[in-house]
Amino acid sequence: MTSPEEAVISPTGWVAQQARLYEESGGTKGAVVQGAPCLLLDYRGRRTGQWRRTVLIYGRDGDDYLIVASNGGADEHPLWYLNLRAEPDVRLRVGTERFDARAETLSAEDKERVWPHLVDVFALYADYRRKTERDIPVVRLSRVRD
């Protein structure tokens, strides 16, 4: 795994609280948000190079994790997604496990294939998609093998 350089936690109140609980418990608490499984995503800021941390709901596709850049249905991409496009090497905490991963935005075809599963995981994704004309990206997070 990459160096344990400390990540700056999202300034959004509930995200910061969830991220602290998740990390401080070693992944035994805070791994569910609004009834859906969540992970901690550590990513590098595209301007500062500083590690940042957010909490995201995830789905699965085989061994990979899927995250949705929904931004609550807003017309702009979330900042974490813009950073992943610039620097796709990330760190994850999923439950009690921490590991390095690589982010890749899914093709339109792959996104449509996994979208029903993601809506099953978190039904509001369907509402978010209807709410915006923006194409909501889905990102695959693949474990980096040593």
Side-chain angles (χ1 to χ4, degrees):
M1 194 167 105
T2 55
S3 71
E5 181 182 339
E6 195 60 35
V8 174
I9 297 174
S10 168
T12 304
W14 77 265
V15 176
Q17 185 177 18
Q18 187 91 10
R20 277 191 207 91
L21 175 64
Y22 203 149
E23 186 63 25
E24 289 171 4
S25 72
T28 62
K29 297 179 183 171
V32 175
V33 64
Q34 295 185 38
C38 63
L39 54 75
L40 293 182
L41 172 70
D42 291 0
Y43 59 92
R44 286 219 186 253
R46 65 191 181 286
R47 294 189 188 111
T48 65
Q50 184 173 40
W51 283 103
R52 301 187 178 282
R53 176 172 295 155
T54 195
V55 176
L56 295 168
I57 291 169
Y58 70 88
R60 297 296 302 266
D61 187 31
D63 290 337
D64 297 332
Y65 298 87
L66 302 173
I67 54 176
V68 179
S70 66
N71 205 13
D75 290 330
E76 305 82 32
H77 290 310
L79 293 177
W80 63 259
Y81 177 71
L82 300 177
N83 287 304
L84 286 191
R85 288 194 324 194
E87 176 50 68
D89 294 324
V90 299
R91 304 182 307 210
L92 300 181
R93 173 177 289 285
V94 182
T96 58
E97 192 176 12
R98 265 212 167 274
F99 54 93
D100 293 334
R102 184 146 182 101
E104 172 192 11
T105 301
L106 293 185
S107 67
E109 183 179 278
D110 273 348
K111 180 172 84 170
E112 290 311 309
R113 178 180 62 79
V114 300
W115 189 256
H117 162 64
L118 293 168
V119 171
D120 284 346
V121 170
F122 190 64
L124 286 177
Y125 287 146
D127 294 335
Y128 296 164
R129 197 176 200 187
R130 283 190 291 273
K131 195 170 148 180
T132 184
E133 292 185 25
R134 173 176 66 90
D135 180 42
I136 295 176
V138 173
V139 176
R140 176 183 308 283
L141 300 169
S142 301
R143 183 186 299 264
V144 173
R145 304 284 179 202
D146 293 332

mmCIF file of all heavy atoms in Angstrom, residues 13-36:
data_model
loop_
_atom_site.group_PDB
_atom_site.id
_atom_site.type_symbol
_atom_site.label_atom_id
_atom_site.label_comp_id
_atom_site.label_asym_id
_atom_site.label_seq_id
_atom_site.Cartn_x
_atom_site.Cartn_y
_atom_site.Cartn_z
ATOM 1 N N GLY A 13 -20.112 18.112 6.643
ATOM 2 C CA GLY A 13 -20.318 17.653 8.018
ATOM 3 C C GLY A 13 -20.559 16.171 8.187
ATOM 4 O O GLY A 13 -19.812 15.488 8.887
ATOM 5 N N TRP A 14 -21.606 15.616 7.562
ATOM 6 C CA TRP A 14 -21.921 14.196 7.773
ATOM 7 C C TRP A 14 -20.833 13.303 7.201
ATOM 8 O O TRP A 14 -20.555 12.244 7.764
ATOM 9 C CB TRP A 14 -23.296 13.820 7.216
ATOM 10 C CG TRP A 14 -23.346 13.651 5.729
ATOM 11 C CD1 TRP A 14 -23.703 14.593 4.807
ATOM 12 C CD2 TRP A 14 -23.008 12.481 4.983
ATOM 13 N NE1 TRP A 14 -23.613 14.076 3.542
ATOM 14 C CE2 TRP A 14 -23.187 12.777 3.620
ATOM 15 C CE3 TRP A 14 -22.568 11.204 5.332
ATOM 16 C CZ2 TRP A 14 -22.944 11.850 2.609
ATOM 17 C CZ3 TRP A 14 -22.318 10.278 4.315
ATOM 18 C CH2 TRP A 14 -22.513 10.601 2.977
ATOM 19 N N VAL A 15 -20.206 13.725 6.092
ATOM 20 C CA VAL A 15 -19.144 12.924 5.475
ATOM 21 C C VAL A 15 -17.942 12.856 6.423
ATOM 22 O O VAL A 15 -17.380 11.782 6.645
ATOM 23 C CB VAL A 15 -18.733 13.493 4.100
ATOM 24 C CG1 VAL A 15 -17.557 12.710 3.525
ATOM 25 C CG2 VAL A 15 -19.910 13.472 3.132
ATOM 26 N N ALA A 16 -17.577 13.994 6.980
ATOM 27 C CA ALA A 16 -16.443 14.044 7.907
ATOM 28 C C ALA A 16 -16.701 13.156 9.124
ATOM 29 O O ALA A 16 -15.828 12.386 9.540
ATOM 30 C CB ALA A 16 -16.179 15.481 8.330
ATOM 31 N N GLN A 17 -17.899 13.236 9.676
ATOM 32 C CA GLN A 17 -18.247 12.439 10.854
ATOM 33 C C GLN A 17 -18.210 10.943 10.513
ATOM 34 O O GLN A 17 -17.650 10.146 11.263
ATOM 35 C CB GLN A 17 -19.635 12.847 11.346
ATOM 36 C CG GLN A 17 -20.054 12.174 12.622
ATOM 37 C CD GLN A 17 -21.410 12.685 13.098
ATOM 38 O OE1 GLN A 17 -22.191 13.271 12.357
ATOM 39 N NE2 GLN A 17 -21.682 12.452 14.360
ATOM 40 N N GLN A 18 -18.790 10.572 9.373
ATOM 41 C CA GLN A 18 -18.808 9.157 8.948
ATOM 42 C C GLN A 18 -17.387 8.659 8.690
ATOM 43 O O GLN A 18 -17.022 7.552 9.089
ATOM 44 C CB GLN A 18 -19.654 9.028 7.672
ATOM 45 C CG GLN A 18 -19.887 7.611 7.228
ATOM 46 C CD GLN A 18 -21.152 7.016 7.806
ATOM 47 O OE1 GLN A 18 -21.961 7.709 8.399
ATOM 48 N NE2 GLN A 18 -21.320 5.721 7.642
ATOM 49 N N ALA A 19 -16.571 9.474 8.013
ATOM 50 C CA ALA A 19 -15.192 9.070 7.686
ATOM 51 C C ALA A 19 -14.374 8.851 8.959
ATOM 52 O O ALA A 19 -13.607 7.890 9.041
ATOM 53 C CB ALA A 19 -14.535 10.125 6.800
ATOM 54 N N ARG A 20 -14.529 9.728 9.935
ATOM 55 C CA ARG A 20 -13.787 9.574 11.192
ATOM 56 C C ARG A 20 -14.203 8.293 11.915
ATOM 57 O O ARG A 20 -13.362 7.528 12.384
ATOM 58 C CB ARG A 20 -13.997 10.785 12.091
ATOM 59 C CG ARG A 20 -13.094 11.932 11.753
ATOM 60 C CD ARG A 20 -13.120 13.034 12.824
ATOM 61 N NE ARG A 20 -12.788 14.283 12.177
ATOM 62 C CZ ARG A 20 -13.674 15.137 11.641
ATOM 63 N NH1 ARG A 20 -14.957 14.909 11.735
ATOM 64 N NH2 ARG A 20 -13.273 16.247 11.057
ATOM 65 N N LEU A 21 -15.526 8.077 12.024
ATOM 66 C CA LEU A 21 -16.033 6.874 12.689
ATOM 67 C C LEU A 21 -15.509 5.618 11.984
ATOM 68 O O LEU A 21 -15.032 4.676 12.629
ATOM 69 C CB LEU A 21 -17.568 6.876 12.683
ATOM 70 C CG LEU A 21 -18.248 5.628 13.238
ATOM 71 C CD1 LEU A 21 -17.925 5.445 14.721
ATOM 72 C CD2 LEU A 21 -19.753 5.717 13.016
ATOM 73 N N TYR A 22 -15.581 5.612 10.681
ATOM 74 C CA TYR A 22 -15.155 4.460 9.869
ATOM 75 C C TYR A 22 -13.670 4.179 10.092
ATOM 76 O O TYR A 22 -13.276 3.052 10.399
ATOM 77 C CB TYR A 22 -15.423 4.802 8.402
ATOM 78 C CG TYR A 22 -15.588 3.647 7.444
ATOM 79 C CD1 TYR A 22 -16.415 3.787 6.339
ATOM 80 C CD2 TYR A 22 -14.916 2.442 7.579
ATOM 81 C CE1 TYR A 22 -16.583 2.765 5.411
ATOM 82 C CE2 TYR A 22 -15.062 1.416 6.657
ATOM 83 C CZ TYR A 22 -15.904 1.588 5.574
ATOM 84 O OH TYR A 22 -16.052 0.577 4.653
ATOM 85 N N GLU A 23 -12.848 5.216 9.950
ATOM 86 C CA GLU A 23 -11.392 5.032 10.066
ATOM 87 C C GLU A 23 -10.970 4.726 11.505
ATOM 88 O O GLU A 23 -10.184 3.814 11.745
ATOM 89 C CB GLU A 23 -10.657 6.261 9.542
ATOM 90 C CG GLU A 23 -9.158 6.102 9.501
ATOM 91 C CD GLU A 23 -8.665 5.002 8.566
ATOM 92 O OE1 GLU A 23 -9.368 4.642 7.601
ATOM 93 O OE2 GLU A 23 -7.558 4.483 8.811
ATOM 94 N N GLU A 24 -11.486 5.479 12.472
ATOM 95 C CA GLU A 24 -11.068 5.302 13.863
ATOM 96 C C GLU A 24 -11.481 3.946 14.423
ATOM 97 O O GLU A 24 -10.838 3.425 15.333
ATOM 98 C CB GLU A 24 -11.603 6.441 14.726
ATOM 99 C CG GLU A 24 -10.897 7.760 14.439
ATOM 100 C CD GLU A 24 -11.540 8.959 15.105
ATOM 101 O OE1 GLU A 24 -12.521 8.798 15.876
ATOM 102 O OE2 GLU A 24 -11.066 10.088 14.841
ATOM 103 N N SER A 25 -12.554 3.357 13.870
ATOM 104 C CA SER A 25 -12.993 2.037 14.329
ATOM 105 C C SER A 25 -12.283 0.914 13.571
ATOM 106 O O SER A 25 -12.562 -0.264 13.802
ATOM 107 C CB SER A 25 -14.506 1.880 14.141
ATOM 108 O OG SER A 25 -14.826 1.742 12.764
ATOM 109 N N GLY A 26 -11.386 1.277 12.654
ATOM 110 C CA GLY A 26 -10.713 0.265 11.840
ATOM 111 C C GLY A 26 -11.661 -0.409 10.862
ATOM 112 O O GLY A 26 -11.418 -1.515 10.414
ATOM 113 N N GLY A 27 -12.761 0.279 10.549
ATOM 114 C CA GLY A 27 -13.727 -0.250 9.593
ATOM 115 C C GLY A 27 -14.827 -1.090 10.190
ATOM 116 O O GLY A 27 -15.647 -1.653 9.463
ATOM 117 N N THR A 28 -14.888 -1.172 11.534
ATOM 118 C CA THR A 28 -15.931 -1.979 12.170
ATOM 119 C C THR A 28 -17.213 -1.187 12.401
ATOM 120 O O THR A 28 -18.256 -1.764 12.683
ATOM 121 C CB THR A 28 -15.458 -2.564 13.512
ATOM 122 O OG1 THR A 28 -15.148 -1.497 14.403
ATOM 123 C CG2 THR A 28 -14.235 -3.476 13.309
ATOM 124 N N LYS A 29 -17.147 0.142 12.283
ATOM 125 C CA LYS A 29 -18.321 1.013 12.432
ATOM 126 C C LYS A 29 -18.330 2.020 11.284
ATOM 127 O O LYS A 29 -17.284 2.378 10.758
ATOM 128 C CB LYS A 29 -18.270 1.775 13.757
ATOM 129 C CG LYS A 29 -18.320 0.892 14.970
ATOM 130 C CD LYS A 29 -18.247 1.709 16.231
ATOM 131 C CE LYS A 29 -18.228 0.786 17.442
ATOM 132 N NZ LYS A 29 -17.941 1.523 18.662
ATOM 133 N N GLY A 30 -19.528 2.460 10.924
ATOM 134 C CA GLY A 30 -19.640 3.497 9.902
ATOM 135 C C GLY A 30 -19.543 2.998 8.474
ATOM 136 O O GLY A 30 -19.408 3.789 7.547
ATOM 137 N N ALA A 31 -19.649 1.671 8.269
ATOM 138 C CA ALA A 31 -19.491 1.103 6.931
ATOM 139 C C ALA A 31 -20.804 1.045 6.153
ATOM 140 O O ALA A 31 -20.859 0.474 5.069
ATOM 141 C CB ALA A 31 -18.862 -0.282 7.016
ATOM 142 N N VAL A 32 -21.849 1.663 6.708
ATOM 143 C CA VAL A 32 -23.146 1.727 6.040
ATOM 144 C C VAL A 32 -23.654 3.159 6.146
ATOM 145 O O VAL A 32 -23.546 3.794 7.193
ATOM 146 C CB VAL A 32 -24.155 0.751 6.700
ATOM 147 C CG1 VAL A 32 -25.543 0.906 6.100
ATOM 148 C CG2 VAL A 32 -23.671 -0.676 6.575
ATOM 149 N N VAL A 33 -24.167 3.670 5.042
ATOM 150 C CA VAL A 33 -24.768 5.003 5.029
ATOM 151 C C VAL A 33 -26.116 4.905 4.310
ATOM 152 O O VAL A 33 -26.202 4.293 3.237
ATOM 153 C CB VAL A 33 -23.836 6.063 4.381
ATOM 154 C CG1 VAL A 33 -23.576 5.788 2.928
ATOM 155 C CG2 VAL A 33 -24.362 7.462 4.573
ATOM 156 N N GLN A 34 -27.151 5.409 4.940
ATOM 157 C CA GLN A 34 -28.518 5.347 4.397
ATOM 158 C C GLN A 34 -28.878 3.928 3.945
ATOM 159 O O GLN A 34 -29.489 3.728 2.900
ATOM 160 C CB GLN A 34 -28.683 6.349 3.253
ATOM 161 C CG GLN A 34 -28.552 7.787 3.713
ATOM 162 C CD GLN A 34 -28.838 8.777 2.597
ATOM 163 O OE1 GLN A 34 -29.716 8.567 1.770
ATOM 164 N NE2 GLN A 34 -28.091 9.867 2.566
ATOM 165 N N GLY A 35 -28.446 2.936 4.714
ATOM 166 C CA GLY A 35 -28.770 1.550 4.431
ATOM 167 C C GLY A 35 -27.917 0.879 3.360
ATOM 168 O O GLY A 35 -28.136 -0.279 3.023
ATOM 169 N N ALA A 36 -26.945 1.604 2.810
ATOM 170 C CA ALA A 36 -26.109 1.066 1.731
ATOM 171 C C ALA A 36 -24.660 0.945 2.200
ATOM 172 O O ALA A 36 -24.193 1.735 3.022
ATOM 173 C CB ALA A 36 -26.181 1.978 0.513
#
